[in-house]
Amino acid sequence: MSTLKSKILVVATDLFQTRGINSTGVDTIVAVAGTTKMTLYKYFTSKENLILEVLKKGHEDFQSWLSEKLNTNAKKPSEKLLKLFEFIEEWVTSPNFRGMGFIKASAEFPNEESPVHQLSSEQSREFKQYICSLATEANIKDAEGLALQLSLLFEGAVQAEQMKRGSGAMKYAKKASKILIDGALAD
Amino acid sequence: MSTLKSKILVVATDLFQTRGINSTGVDTIVAVAGTTKMTLYKYFTSKENLILEVLKKGHEDFQSWLSEKLNTNAKKPSEKLLKLFEFIEEWVTSPNFRGMGFIKASAEFPNEESPVHQLSSEQSREFKQYICSLATEANIKDAEGLALQLSLLFEGAVQAEQMKRGSGAMKYAKKASKILIDGALAD
DNA sequence: ACGTATATATACAGGTCTGTATATATATTT
DNA sequence: AAATATATATACAGACCTGTATATATACGT
């Protein structure tokens, strides 16, 4: 991938997070990225296309980092579940955490026909599905239910962290997740 | 309050929720409300002022409904805590639920200097504080921690419900809250 | 050195948005 | 009936936005 395209993606991710998606114009993006609109529209067919690519990259980066961390640091499925929020916390509190795009995007694009909303919605579902697969492997009875609960905790904590960095929300989400997982394992 | 002002508030609440705040123009609001811009700008000094009043009304309506419900239907403090999500679920699944404004607003106005962001942030804090007061009365040891956890669940579930109505997220949030509260009461 | 691909600089068309100005209509009060 | 407050209708200025058009510069392969 061209370095310019990559630079635009990084800058857009940053600005979308700190100023909002709709409030960030392409002129601002190219100015910060140190390039021009012509170049942006060479790599992205439209602003919507740029938004979609920002979302895709953010989700892929997070998902692959997380599953790689879990696979190398935990063996038993139940261990993976229990360590889930530990790594999520590590990701979220890292200095180059740029927010979870799909949470903001689904708020800014509530219309269900919008491609941005659809992608956000799908990413949220995918993440929940990933947790559900971990829960299923760990022989949790109501794997779907636990996955939903953990994803609610996750999304709530990310939102709190986006609202105020360093709020420590994820630390308490981690504690809550341990209680919920232990309870589900005992069922 | 004038019926027109009230009508504008209701319509704006609705449109902000279903189309987003920044994506909803005042022209659309007055058209749906059946009035004109001149009237809107008589009752509200600016669009930002309208947004702030929409947020205030939404939060007041919810908070007063919730505390009244809890005060009449539960006596012991621990009972209030345990019934909290039952009433929240009733509110959220009611047909005229119009979303929790401050959750969407904080996503659309991430800039901490924005008055809209500041009010959203304050409302989130107030809600958490209310839960904390319930937990304190119920003699929970780490009342702050439990309050934070429950508010994370709440915000995550509202977000999920806003993303897809009828997702049943609040039902599972309620179950999770019971587990967390029971655990905290036993400490 | 020459041609080609890539990036820049800049201007602008067409649209949307907020907030105001101007003129008119409808109620209500006296 | 006259006067006053309230609401409508409509137009518009000024700002912003997306996406494109045009012309120029820079690098690179051959």
Side-chain angles (χ1 to χ4, degrees):
Chain A
M1 178 159 56
S2 146
T3 67
L4 265 177
K5 179 172 184 180
S6 166
K7 176 79 181 172
I8 291 172
L9 276 174
V10 169
V11 167
T13 303
D14 228 30
L15 292 176
F16 287 165
Q17 189 58 43
T18 55
R19 307 188 184 186
I21 300 172
N22 283 316
S23 306
T24 302
V26 291
D27 294 276
T28 308
I29 294 170
V30 297
V32 175
T35 181
T36 64
K37 264 205 289 197
M38 290 312 299
T39 303
L40 187 148
Y41 280 104
K42 191 195 166 190
Y43 292 117
F44 306 96
T45 61
S46 63
K47 186 183 175 183
E48 183 176 83
N49 176 248
L50 170 61
I51 299 169
L52 293 173
E53 293 226 21
V54 165
L55 286 179
K56 277 181 204 159
K57 184 167 188 321
H59 193 246
E60 281 167 14
D61 286 355
F62 173 63
Q63 278 280 12
S64 58
W65 180 90
L66 181 62
S67 57
E68 201 265 336
K69 271 277 181 181
L70 284 177
N71 285 334
T72 55
N73 295 7
K75 290 165 191 171
K76 284 199 305 177
S78 63
E79 252 185 299
K80 287 190 189 173
L81 258 186
L82 285 163
K83 287 197 171 165
L84 179 64
F85 270 73
E86 212 155 301
F87 293 124
I88 289 178
E89 188 186 19
E90 185 181 331
W91 176 270
V92 166
T93 56
S94 116
N96 42 348
F97 171 64
R98 283 187 173 79
M100 295 301 301
F102 72 88
I103 291 179
K104 191 176 285 285
S106 68
E108 286 206 51
F109 297 81
N111 186 341
E112 297 196 5
E113 287 158 42
S114 153
V116 176
H117 181 92
Q118 287 172 6
L119 180 58
S120 307
S121 188
E122 190 188 320
Q123 289 182 344
S124 167
R125 218 179 309 123
E126 261 179 37
F127 180 69
K128 199 182 74 193
Q129 185 50 43
Y130 176 67
I131 303 179
C132 186
S133 72
L134 295 181
T136 304
E137 285 175 43
N139 284 324
I140 302 277
K141 199 187 282 173
D142 184 8
E144 284 257 15
L146 179 65
L148 178 51
Q149 289 173 340
L150 295 182
S151 72
L152 294 184
L153 269 181
F154 168 71
E155 291 184 21
V158 167
Q159 177 127 18
E161 199 69 35
Q162 283 178 357
M163 201 137 139
K164 187 160 172 288
R165 280 307 295 271
S167 68
M170 202 49 90
K171 196 180 112 195
Y172 281 89
K174 183 173 69 182
K175 285 187 185 175
S177 83
K178 177 157 171 42
I179 297 172
L180 295 176
I181 294 167
D182 284 343
L185 283 169
D187 271 350
Chain B
M1 179 159 55
S2 146
T3 66
L4 265 177
K5 179 171 184 180
S6 165
K7 175 80 182 172
I8 291 172
L9 276 174
V10 169
V11 167
T13 303
D14 228 30
L15 292 176
F16 287 165
Q17 190 57 44
T18 54
R19 305 188 185 186
I21 299 172
N22 283 316
S23 306
T24 301
V26 291
D27 294 276
T28 308
I29 294 170
V30 297
V32 174
T35 180
T36 64
K37 265 206 286 197
M38 291 313 298
T39 303
L40 187 149
Y41 280 105
K42 191 195 166 189
Y43 291 117
F44 306 95
T45 61
S46 63
K47 186 184 175 183
E48 182 176 82
N49 176 250
L50 170 61
I51 298 169
L52 292 173
E53 293 227 22
V54 164
L55 286 179
K56 278 181 204 159
K57 184 168 188 321
H59 193 246
E60 282 167 14
D61 287 354
F62 173 63
Q63 278 281 10
S64 58
W65 180 90
L66 181 63
S67 58
E68 201 264 337
K69 271 276 180 180
L70 284 176
N71 285 334
T72 56
N73 294 355
K75 290 166 191 171
K76 284 198 305 177
S78 62
E79 251 184 302
K80 286 189 190 173
L81 260 186
L82 286 163
K83 288 198 171 165
L84 178 63
F85 270 72
E86 212 156 301
F87 292 124
I88 289 178
E89 187 185 20
E90 184 181 330
W91 176 270
V92 166
T93 56
S94 113
N96 42 348
F97 171 65
R98 282 187 174 79
M100 295 301 300
F102 73 89
I103 292 179
K104 190 175 286 282
S106 68
E108 286 206 51
F109 297 81
N111 186 341
E112 296 195 6
E113 287 158 43
S114 153
V116 176
H117 181 92
Q118 286 172 6
L119 180 57
S120 307
S121 189
E122 190 189 317
Q123 290 182 344
S124 167
R125 219 178 310 123
E126 260 179 38
F127 180 68
K128 198 181 76 194
Q129 185 50 45
Y130 175 67
I131 302 179
C132 186
S133 73
L134 294 181
T136 304
E137 285 175 46
N139 284 325
I140 302 278
K141 200 187 282 176
D142 184 8
E144 285 256 14
L146 180 65
L148 179 51
Q149 290 173 340
L150 295 182
S151 71
L152 294 184
L153 269 182
F154 168 71
E155 292 184 21
V158 167
Q159 178 128 18
E161 200 68 36
Q162 283 177 357
M163 201 137 138
K164 188 158 171 287
R165 281 305 296 269
S167 69
M170 201 49 89
K171 196 180 110 194
Y172 280 89
K174 184 173 69 182
K175 285 187 185 175
S177 84
K178 177 156 173 41
I179 296 171
L180 294 176
I181 294 166
D182 284 343
L185 282 169
D187 271 352

